Every structure is written in structure tokens, then in C-alpha cells.
Amino acid sequence: MLSSMIALLGLYGTYHVITTDEPIHGLGGLFVFNELSAILVPYVAILGLVIRKYATKYMWDEPGYKRFFILLNFIFSAIYMLVMSNNLVILAIAWQLMSISLYLLVSFNVASKSAVKNGSWTMLIHKGADLLFILAVILTYQTFGSVDLGQLSQTWLEMSKNPIDNPTIFVIGLLFLVAAMMKSAIVPFHIWLPYTSEAPTPVSALMHAGVVNVGGILLNKLAFLLLLTPAVLNIAFVIGLFTAIFASVLMLVVPDIKRSLGYSTAGQMGYMIMEVGLGAFSLAIYHLMVHGIFKATLFLESGGLIRYARHDPNIPQRLSYKLFWEEKTEHKSNKTFNLIALFTILPLLIFIGVKMVLSEEFFEFNAAIVILAFGWLTGTQLFLSFFKVSRSDSIKVILALVSSFIIILFTYEFVGLALEHFIYGEHALLFYGAATLNVTIIMSMVALAAIMIIGWLFMYKQHFVDIQKSKMPKRTQWLFYKLLAKEAYVPDFFIKYIKIFKKG
Amino acid sequence: MLMSIILLILAAGVPYYLILEKNKKLNSEKIFLISSFLVLCAIVISSFVTGTYSSLLVIISLLSAIFSIYKATKTTNFYKFGYYLLFINAPFFMLFIREQGVLYTLSLLITLGGVYSIAKHYDKYYGSANYHGISGTTLATPYVGAFLTVYLITLALYPPFPNALFLLSSMIKEEPTLLWYIVVVIVFLGNFMVAMRVMPRTVFGTPNTNLHYVDLTSKEKIIHFIIIILLLALSIIGFKGAIA
């Protein structure tokens, strides 16, 4: 009931902001319901409503039912506080409240030794993020003489007109960035997320859809500060890109499905930070919301699916199953270059068409092309992984993929542009300028084509060619596989060297 | 200067517990009470001192804090844990501006009062304040688990509890130097590690099947509620100070 009311209130606030174009200030200016809050508060509220409704049934026979809901409300309060804060001190308090509530939720199953241990890892990394955040707040106050975010944003915007070279501002930006990276599970701070799957399913849904996104939310709240620190944006891009690739590769290698989902989220967070690094701040918000809804659905559905599977020993059949999975006897021959042509040239043409129809700034907004290529590849790869596309249905697959690509492009572009104009208005283009990673149109097209060709060749080998059983992998391949299977030895490092929580 | 040295000895953590621990007549509980009393004396005396403390005193208290962090990671006794935490936090008493330092230390003492009450409860029902074998209190004795969790979160410097808010407000108002940053980082992380280390050992975990767990009596609950109310009152002061 209360959740529904909060969601309705959030939606009313959004309506108010859209219609009047005026933010709502509260508690003496400590909180603000501005354009960013207008998007995020209803998102969090609706997510909260679904998770609570799910949890009432899912958790009813678990010990500590009351404790669970107290902690759930505690973390949601912290998220609302974080989203709506208009003061760095309030933001710092909310930032820390999230850490502690997350720790208690991850360790909810207190009787489990591994749940508590993994919760401790989470806590350790989040405490590091808290410390860096507080140091950044102090430096901000010392440098700009205020902790009011509204005032600070104005100051930063003014300062960005005449760029200055102040190392302290770079340090502040870097501290905020690293704090955001730690909470958003970006490499090398990713390790807490894949190991938190022992938390109750609603907590996993909340964590992957909400908590892990706070890094992106923070960087959006401090967007105007990052105008002054192009180097920080470049660092964000590089680390985000690395995380996206590294975590996605680990996702494919780790044998544990829950850890695999954890790495998938870490990879998506990498995209999000990369988008920030390219100056596409509003796209990062869109990305975190879309990914959040997708992951929450995935986690919440998992319980129901298991229940369904228990009643029916066969895997539940759906339309997608019949279309793509079911074995067919007929086989049609398709040459590799035909497939490559279909999967590269056609999407490229569609892409250019969509961009030109929707965006006037087509030639100014080249960096986003690279992101879209990555986004599309991830989507299609996921598509293939889920439905195990077989060779016999290649025409259907092509049609499905092309149509899905058009839909993805339109929504991504349309919503991205709409969000960009809604949140930042005419200032949005400043961010792309500050990112200093201006990719030319030819470079981006070449990169896009190359990525698609490599991606599709890889997928073709994975899905269309029989594996030669007699061929043994080379020693270097084994070593590479071992490195990935051991998650680059990062968990081992934690276990070996960080023993502060070891049980006595 | 003399006053500063007295304060250093009383509150700023020259670890006199090393001498006291050697005395066989003084058990951990008594050392905890003596240390708390001396810190309270330091709070009172500090009101007569003007100006700031010298960097040397801060460095001495930091060194003893590091030593106390080390000692605290070795203990499994709530009383010892309590007085080690007093000395871990001593540099903040010396480092922060007078009023903030005093308020911080006061809220620390109140929190440790809560830990002391839990220690007494353990002593009474389980024979000692050693928490090593009494794990899983969240499941077996929910009230003890809840209160202890609150105290440990407070000691680990997390809001909405006052220690964190006084720390935050002091940090924003100070003019930081390199020493200041070193002290804050070490004590901030030290507090966190020591407090959070206790949680998996006693609050969380599987209850010991050989023990008959006893939850808090009504009288004990009232004491803990009073402590929580005091902490919340201090939180409001801390919050006002932080956003002022």
C-alpha cells in the first residue's frame, strides 16, 4: 500500500516537473525533485513496489521476515535520499547508508558462512568507496566553498566556459569517479558483485537493478563537475571499456550461472561508465534503467521458472522455443560471406537511416555509434545464447534479428535523445565536447563494421560449425582459459591477502 | 602544554592498558571502566584548555591508535574490545576542533556503554564476555543481535548514528593538512575493520548447539532503548552540525 502511494507520488512529481518545468525543493533546499529525480524516483518506486510484492510471498516462510522488510525499507530510503539529495553532505550520508544496508541484506542468511563472508567483501569495497567519497566532499568544500549541489552545478557550469588547469579539481573528479566505480562493480572493484548471489532473490533483483547503478547516478548528479575534468572522463571511458570486455568474457567462462549473471551486470556497468566517459550522460541513465528492468525481471522470474520446471520435467516451451530451438531436420546451406553481409551491411544501412531520421546532430554525435555497436552485439549475443539458434532457421533468425535491431535502435535513439533534452537541455552537447573523444564518422563506421564482422565470425564459429573433437587446444589457449576461469586470480588475491573478516 | 600532556595520557591513548593488563587484580571489565572514567575526565578537563593540540600529540595518539587496532584484532572479549576502541579513536579527540572532538568522544562512550551492557549480559548468562563461541545471536537471541548490530555499525562509523555524523561535520569544517588526512584515513578504516570483524564472529553465524541462549530481559531492553535514544539525540545534533 505504502509502496503504491510512493510510486504514485513519484509519478505525480514527474508530471509536475514536466508540466511546470520547475524543480521541487524540500527541507530547506537539502532535497530536490528535478529532471533527474523525475526519471529515477518513479523508476525506483515501481521497482520497489514489484520487489516488495514479490518478497511478501517469496520470503513469508523464511526466518527473519520482519528483519528483511526493515532492511529493505532502509535501503530504499537510502536510494531515494541519494537520488533526491541536493547537498553533498546528504549525498555522503545516503552513500554510506546504502553500504551498510546492502551489507546487512547480502548477509541476510546469517547462518550461512559463505553469505556472511561474501557480505564482508561487499562491505570492504563499499567502505573504501565511502572513504573516497568523503575525502572528495571535503576537497570540494575546500575548493568551491559550498556543499549545495545546485549552487555547485552553477559554479561548475560557469567555470567550464573558461577552462582552468587546477590539479585539485582533477583529484576531486577522480575521487568521485573511483568511488562510483567501487559501488558499480567496475574492474578492479568488481569482485563483490558476482559473489553476492547467496542473498535472497528479491535482494539480488534490487542489487542488480538498483544498488549497483548508483555510480552512474552519482556521476550524473556531478555531471557539471566532470565538464572541468576531461581527463577523468577519458579515464572513465578506458576503464569502462575494459570492464565491459573483461567482465563479459568472464561471464562466458565462469561455470556458476549466478556468478555469470554477476559478471554480466558488471559488464553492463562497464558500458554505463563508458557512456559517461564519452559524455553521453543521459544515455547512461537510460542504460541503467533498461538494464535494471531486464535484470530484475530475470532474477524475479527465476524463482517462478524453477517452480514451473518442477511441475513439468521438460523445459517450458514457448514460442521462441518453437521458433529457434526445436531441432529441424532440414538443412540449408549458407555461405559465410552471405551471413556476414547480412549481419553487417544491412544493420549498418539501417543504423545510418535511423540516425539520420531521428537525430539532427548525426555528425556531431559520433562517439555514441561505438556504444550502440557494443549494445547491439551484446543484445544479439544474448539472443543467440538464450535461444540457441540453429542453422536450419537462419532466415527466421535474420528477420528476427534485423527487426529487433531496428526496434532497439529506434528506442535507444529516441529515448536517449528525449532524455538528453529533458535532463540537460542545451548543456548536453557540452559533455560530448568535454569528453574529448571525438571519433570521426569514417573511423566509427570502420570500427562498427570491424566489430560486427569479428563478432559475427565468432558467433558463426560458435553456432554454425561443428566442433572438431580431435583437435586439442594449444598450451597458450589453455593458459588463457585458465586465467579467465580463475577470474584473473582476483578472488584468490582477496582470499589470500585480505583476511580481516576471517573467522576466529 | 602540561594540560595537553595530561589529556594525552587520559584520553589520547598512550596505551596505559598495557600496564593495567599486567595487574592480576584488575580484570578486563575494571580496565574498561577505568579507561572510560579517565576519558570522561579528559572531556571535562578539555573544557579548560584553549587552543589546538600540537601535531606531536596527534602523532603520538595516532601511533598508539595503530597499536590498539592491532591489539583489537586479536581479542575476542567485549570488555577489551571496548577499551581498545577508546584508544583507537583518541586521535579524533586531539585532532578535531574542541566541541566536535568532545561530542564525538561522548557518543563513542555512550556506544561503548551499550557494548558494555551486552558484555555484562554475556558474562551473566554465558560465564564470560568472550564472544568467540557465542555466534549466531541474530538468530538465537534477536534483541541482543539487533542492539549489538546497532552498536557495531555505530563504531564502524556509519550514519545515521552520531559518531559518523560528528566525524563528517568535523571533516568538512577542518582545514586539512597531510597529517590530518593520514589520521582520518587510518582511524576511519581502523574503526571499521575492528567493529565489522566482530559481526561475523558473534552477531552472524550459526548458533552454538551446546549453548542455551538467553535473550534480554525487560530491564536490559529498557537500558538499551535509552542508549539508542541517546544516540539518536546525538545524531540529530551531529546532523545539524554537518549541514550547518
Side-chain angles (χ1 to χ4, degrees):
Chain A
M1 183 69 185
L2 190 67
S3 306
S4 317
M5 282 173 71
I6 292 171
L8 283 173
L9 207 62
L11 286 169
Y12 177 73
T14 307
Y15 170 75
H16 178 88
V17 172
I18 291 171
T19 49
T20 61
D21 213 13
E22 282 289 320
I24 308 163
H25 290 275
L27 286 172
L30 291 176
F31 292 92
V32 67
F33 196 95
N34 56 9
E35 287 82 0
L36 188 64
S37 313
I39 294 162
L40 290 173
V41 170
Y43 165 70
V44 176
I46 293 166
L47 190 75
L49 181 66
V50 174
I51 289 174
R52 273 201 191 85
K53 182 73 189 153
Y54 181 88
T56 45
K57 284 189 177 175
Y58 184 84
M59 299 291 292
W60 74 271
D61 59 345
E62 292 278 329
Y65 183 78
K66 274 186 195 171
R67 181 163 56 97
F68 176 79
F69 276 95
I70 290 169
L71 292 173
L72 200 65
N73 290 338
F74 194 54
I75 199 164
F76 269 105
S77 318
I79 297 173
Y80 288 127
M81 201 169 159
L82 186 125
V83 170
M84 291 192 284
S85 59
N86 192 33
N87 184 299
L88 280 179
V89 174
I90 301 292
L91 198 59
I93 292 171
W95 190 255
Q96 293 199 62
L97 282 178
M98 284 194 70
S99 305
I100 189 70
S101 43
L102 182 67
Y103 170 60
L104 294 172
L105 276 170
V106 169
S107 315
F108 179 77
N109 186 10
V110 287
S112 161
K113 198 177 168 183
S114 55
V116 173
K117 196 183 83 183
N118 296 336
S120 303
W121 283 21
T122 305
M123 187 70 165
L124 188 67
I125 289 170
H126 282 240
K127 190 68 178 180
D130 296 342
L131 177 66
L132 296 185
F133 193 95
I134 291 171
L135 292 178
V137 171
I138 296 162
L139 280 176
T140 307
Y141 183 71
Q142 298 296 326
T143 313
F144 302 104
S146 174
V147 282
D148 185 276
L149 265 176
Q151 248 182 50
L152 283 170
S153 295
Q154 283 299 322
T155 313
W156 292 330
L157 190 60
E158 282 298 314
M159 285 173 78
S160 69
K161 287 170 188 164
N162 303 303
I164 44 151
D165 189 22
N166 184 350
T168 316
I169 299 177
F170 170 75
V171 173
I172 293 170
L174 193 65
L175 284 172
F176 277 127
L177 173 70
V178 179
M181 280 165 53
M182 288 173 120
K183 289 234 178 183
S184 284
I186 302 295
V187 174
F189 311 111
H190 62 289
I191 200 67
W192 64 270
L193 187 64
Y195 286 85
T196 49
S197 44
E198 219 175 307
T201 301
V203 175
S204 297
L206 169 67
M207 210 156 47
H208 288 257
V211 177
V212 78
N213 294 317
V214 291
I217 297 171
L218 173 75
L219 294 178
N220 262 277
K221 285 183 91 77
L222 301 168
F224 292 113
L225 168 71
L226 299 176
L227 280 180
L228 306 174
T229 56
V232 172
L233 285 176
N234 295 348
I235 293 169
F237 172 75
V238 173
I239 298 178
L241 178 66
F242 179 73
T243 304
I245 296 168
F246 180 71
S248 304
V249 171
L250 286 189
M251 179 190 89
L252 299 172
V253 173
V254 289
D256 179 343
I257 182 71
K258 286 182 173 179
R259 246 188 296 159
S260 176
L261 280 173
Y263 277 113
S264 154
T265 299
Q268 292 298 324
M269 291 301 108
Y271 285 147
M272 186 184 73
I273 296 292
M274 194 175 84
E275 282 165 337
V276 168
L278 286 169
F281 281 78
S282 44
L283 270 183
I285 290 291
Y286 176 57
H287 191 135
L288 74 85
M289 283 171 66
V290 173
H291 169 254
I293 292 165
F294 171 70
K295 274 287 156 65
T297 317
L298 206 66
F299 274 99
L300 295 181
E301 258 200 358
S302 62
L305 207 66
I306 291 164
R307 193 176 157 211
Y308 189 59
R310 277 178 187 158
H311 285 93
D312 181 1
N314 300 311
I315 293 164
Q317 290 191 13
R318 291 182 181 178
L319 182 65
S320 53
Y321 173 85
K322 284 187 178 166
L323 271 172
F324 301 117
W325 198 345
E326 215 166 47
E327 286 300 322
K328 302 285 192 303
T329 46
E330 282 180 43
H331 287 275
K332 292 169 190 171
S333 63
N334 274 313
K335 288 188 178 172
T336 315
F337 67 86
N338 281 345
L339 285 166
I340 290 171
L342 274 166
F343 288 126
T344 54
I345 297 165
L346 192 60
L348 208 66
L349 289 172
I350 296 167
F351 181 78
I352 293 168
V354 170
K355 283 291 289 182
M356 292 194 88
V357 168
L358 276 175
S359 170
E360 288 173 8
E361 301 105 10
F362 178 38
F363 295 100
E364 293 172 27
F365 186 36
N366 301 324
I369 294 170
V370 182
I371 301 173
L372 283 173
F374 272 105
W376 175 60
L377 265 179
T378 316
T380 45
Q381 194 181 348
L382 208 67
F383 193 78
L384 284 166
S385 308
F386 270 108
F387 302 127
K388 295 195 177 176
V389 180
S390 66
R391 188 177 182 173
S392 55
D393 284 317
S394 55
I395 295 297
K396 280 180 194 169
V397 172
I398 290 161
L399 284 173
L401 284 176
V402 168
S403 54
S404 73
F405 184 51
I406 294 170
I407 294 164
I408 288 169
L409 264 184
F410 261 105
T411 48
Y412 207 94
E413 277 298 298
F414 180 74
V415 181
L417 280 171
L419 273 181
E420 197 167 274
H421 285 107
F422 180 59
I423 302 177
Y424 296 113
E426 79 263 28
H427 303 309
L429 285 176
L430 291 175
F431 300 127
Y432 297 112
T436 69
L437 283 163
N438 198 13
V439 186
T440 63
I441 188 82
I442 296 166
M443 271 172 70
S444 46
M445 287 300 167
V446 170
L448 184 64
I451 289 165
M452 283 179 177
I453 290 169
I454 294 165
W456 279 108
L457 270 176
F458 178 74
M459 284 180 197
Y460 178 81
K461 279 201 165 188
Q462 289 284 309
H463 295 278
F464 293 81
V465 179
D466 291 335
I467 299 163
Q468 293 176 5
K469 285 172 187 169
S470 58
K471 194 185 168 190
M472 287 294 286
K474 291 173 190 165
R475 188 180 152 75
T476 46
Q477 285 175 328
W478 272 117
L479 282 173
F480 183 62
Y481 179 78
K482 191 181 162 191
L483 178 77
L484 292 174
K486 295 283 268 178
E487 297 162 63
Y489 295 97
V490 180
D492 291 351
F493 172 82
F494 268 75
I495 292 164
K496 199 171 177 183
Y497 296 105
I498 302 175
K499 292 180 176 176
I500 55 163
F501 298 108
K502 197 181 171 189
K503 275 197 145 191
Chain B
M1 186 62 192
L2 181 67
M3 201 64 106
S4 295
I5 292 168
I6 291 170
L7 281 175
L8 176 76
I9 295 165
L10 288 177
V14 175
Y16 51 75
Y17 59 78
L18 281 181
I19 304 157
L20 297 177
E21 276 178 350
K22 280 178 186 164
N23 189 331
K24 285 179 184 170
K25 285 180 185 170
L26 292 173
N27 58 16
S28 302
E29 184 188 356
K30 281 177 184 154
I31 297 172
F32 176 77
L33 290 172
I34 291 168
S35 305
S36 305
F37 176 71
L38 292 178
V39 172
L40 266 176
C41 291
I43 289 174
V44 176
I45 290 171
S46 70
S47 60
F48 300 105
V49 182
T50 51
T52 51
Y53 301 103
S54 73
S55 300
L56 186 68
L57 294 185
V58 176
I59 291 169
I60 294 169
S61 63
L62 176 66
L63 292 174
S64 73
I66 293 168
F67 181 68
S68 299
I69 291 170
Y70 170 74
K71 291 284 282 181
T73 57
K74 302 281 171 199
T75 188
T76 53
N77 183 297
F78 271 131
Y79 293 125
K80 283 189 176 184
F81 171 74
Y83 63 72
Y84 288 143
L85 264 158
L86 277 176
F87 298 105
I88 291 171
N89 285 282
F92 284 161
F93 182 80
M94 310 292 282
L95 192 72
F96 292 163
I97 43 178
R98 194 57 46 79
E99 192 197 349
Q100 295 293 328
V102 165
L103 281 170
Y104 180 88
T105 315
L106 194 66
S107 76
L108 176 74
L109 277 175
I110 292 171
T111 313
L112 289 177
V115 175
Y116 175 77
S117 304
I118 299 281
K120 287 291 279 180
H121 176 85
Y122 271 50
D123 218 352
K124 189 176 168 186
Y125 294 106
Y126 310 124
S128 92
N130 193 320
Y131 53 79
H132 185 78
I134 310 157
S135 65
T137 47
T138 296
L139 292 176
T141 50
Y143 280 103
V144 177
F147 285 119
L148 197 51
T149 306
V150 169
Y151 300 141
L152 291 173
I153 289 170
T154 312
L155 293 172
L157 295 174
Y158 272 105
F161 301 106
N163 299 25
L165 294 170
F166 285 127
L167 174 77
L168 200 63
S169 108
S170 306
M171 286 168 96
I172 291 167
K173 285 166 190 167
E174 291 288 335
E175 288 181 11
T177 57
L178 181 64
L179 174 68
W180 187 94
Y181 277 109
I182 292 168
V183 171
V184 166
V185 169
I186 291 174
V187 179
F188 183 83
L189 290 178
N191 257 38
F192 160 72
M193 284 193 282
V194 169
M196 282 300 136
R197 199 169 171 273
V198 178
M199 227 187 247
R201 286 189 174 193
T202 179
V203 183
F204 298 160
T206 315
N208 187 340
T209 47
N210 299 318
L211 283 175
H212 173 63
Y213 284 85
V214 183
D215 215 337
L216 297 173
T217 60
S218 302
K219 195 180 154 190
E220 285 172 321
K221 277 182 206 165
I222 290 167
I223 293 168
H224 287 290
F225 273 121
I226 291 169
I227 293 169
I228 299 284
I229 287 165
L230 281 173
L231 288 176
L232 289 177
L234 280 169
S235 290
I236 294 165
I237 299 169
F239 184 71
K240 280 184 176 171
I243 59 166

